[in-house]
Amino acid sequence: MRYIRKIAKHKDVTIQMDTTYWGRNFGLMVIKDALRNVVLWHKYVRHETIAQYVEGVEWLKGNGFNIYGIVIDGMKGLPQALKPIPVQMCQFHQILIVRRYLTQNLDIEASQELLNLINIIARTDKESFCGTFNEWYEKYKDIVNERIHDKRVKRPTPPYMRPKLRSAYLSIKRNMPLLWTFYDYPETGIPNTNNALETVFSDLKTKVRVHRGISRENRKKLIDEYLKRHY
């Protein structure tokens, strides 16, 4: 078996980034060392933006960190903003995207098979998944691309018959290169999901829930202290 070097030095990191919310306008953006389980940077935000994630990455670079890979939740435009660092899209987030499109449309065999396929993405390899995905499309491409032909629909181009199925398919196709970065760059030790960061968020929310009713400023102090002590 080929030896894979894990980047575990203090300044050599593979990072995970995401944002969690308490209500609509109180969010916590976090960047965590994926291998050492240490929160390296966090910021309170109203809404997550590409610029804020880039701000965190630039702060790390400015403080001597060498970033070998980044796990994100799939925000559009973010991978391009983080180049040339290898970016992995959280496979679990991709599963959630497909589920949102398909869970109300499972009476179609094509939808059932696509959902079954995406549900095993974290338990298979790149070649098997991509091969099965391409086979699925060849089998169902006529259904995916079928349009409504109705003279009452006054549009230059007829709409698709099954837009949610098509959107689920295109989401996987568009994100495919980002879903296998961990597979293409094994030397970075980059995870294929952001699950470890979701655990941090779950811990935080449990802690904050115990202190309901505190002011926003005191909530920030509580979160800051908790991250300092535990991460």
Side-chain angles (χ1 to χ4, degrees):
M1 180 177 177
R2 185 163 58 91
Y3 176 70
I4 297 174
R5 181 174 69 90
K6 298 294 185 182
I7 299 171
K9 294 181 180 180
H10 180 64
K11 293 291 185 178
D12 292 342
V13 295
T14 294
I15 61 175
Q16 297 167 289
M17 54 169 59
D18 201 357
T19 302
T20 191
Y21 292 91
W22 287 264
R24 290 185 176 181
N25 298 316
F26 184 81
L28 176 69
M29 182 175 286
V30 171
I31 297 180
K32 185 178 79 69
D33 184 330
L35 302 179
R36 296 172 60 240
N37 199 36
V38 174
V39 172
L40 304 174
W41 179 90
H42 69 279
K43 179 180 181 178
Y44 297 98
V45 299
R46 290 175 61 87
H47 308 286
E48 59 182 330
T49 66
I50 291 174
Q52 289 166 334
Y53 282 120
V54 171
E55 175 190 339
V57 169
E58 292 302 317
W59 183 90
L60 291 177
K61 290 179 179 178
N63 282 272
F65 286 89
N66 301 310
I67 303 172
Y68 289 84
I70 303 175
V71 186
I72 67 171
D73 68 355
M75 175 181 279
K76 188 176 181 180
L78 185 55
Q80 291 73 23
L82 297 173
K83 285 183 177 181
I85 304 172
V87 172
Q88 167 73 38
M89 178 178 171
C90 174
Q91 290 184 342
F92 183 66
H93 277 82
Q94 182 64 69
I95 292 172
L96 293 180
I97 291 170
V98 174
R99 285 178 181 174
R100 283 198 297 270
Y101 282 126
L102 297 183
T103 48
Q104 303 299 321
N105 199 27
L106 290 179
D107 56 325
I108 303 173
E109 184 180 51
S111 296
Q112 294 174 347
E113 290 192 14
L114 187 59
L115 186 60
N116 289 338
L117 176 59
I118 197 64
N119 280 339
I120 66 167
I121 188 171
R123 304 192 302 274
T124 188
D125 59 77
K126 179 180 180 180
E127 288 77 16
S128 297
F129 183 87
C130 292
T132 305
F133 180 72
N134 290 333
E135 290 173 3
W136 176 91
Y137 180 70
E138 286 302 313
K139 181 179 179 181
Y140 293 111
K141 61 183 178 182
D142 290 340
I143 293 176
V144 172
N145 298 316
E146 184 179 5
R147 293 181 181 271
I148 297 173
H149 296 288
D150 189 335
K151 294 180 179 180
R152 293 172 297 178
V153 178
K154 304 299 182 180
R155 290 175 55 176
T157 303
Y160 288 100
M161 181 74 76
R162 301 172 185 86
K164 291 186 178 180
L165 174 61
R166 181 174 171 82
S167 293
Y169 160 71
L170 290 176
S171 175
I172 299 172
K173 181 181 179 181
R174 179 175 59 251
N175 293 327
M176 189 71 82
L178 299 174
L179 294 171
W180 300 101
T181 304
F182 80 100
Y183 196 82
D184 296 330
Y185 296 88
E187 70 279 2
T188 65
I190 191 169
N192 62 329
T193 73
N194 255 340
N195 289 353
L197 188 49
E198 293 299 328
T199 298
V200 175
F201 292 155
S202 179
D203 288 348
L204 276 173
K205 292 197 171 185
T206 299
K207 183 69 174 178
V208 172
R209 196 177 300 119
V210 175
H211 297 81
R212 290 179 179 175
I214 62 175
S215 68
R216 178 168 296 196
E217 287 306 311
N218 284 336
R219 181 184 296 175
K220 290 180 180 180
K221 291 178 182 178
L222 175 65
I223 293 171
D224 290 343
E225 184 63 25
Y226 189 82
L227 291 176
K228 181 180 178 180
R229 286 178 177 269
H230 297 277
Y231 294 99

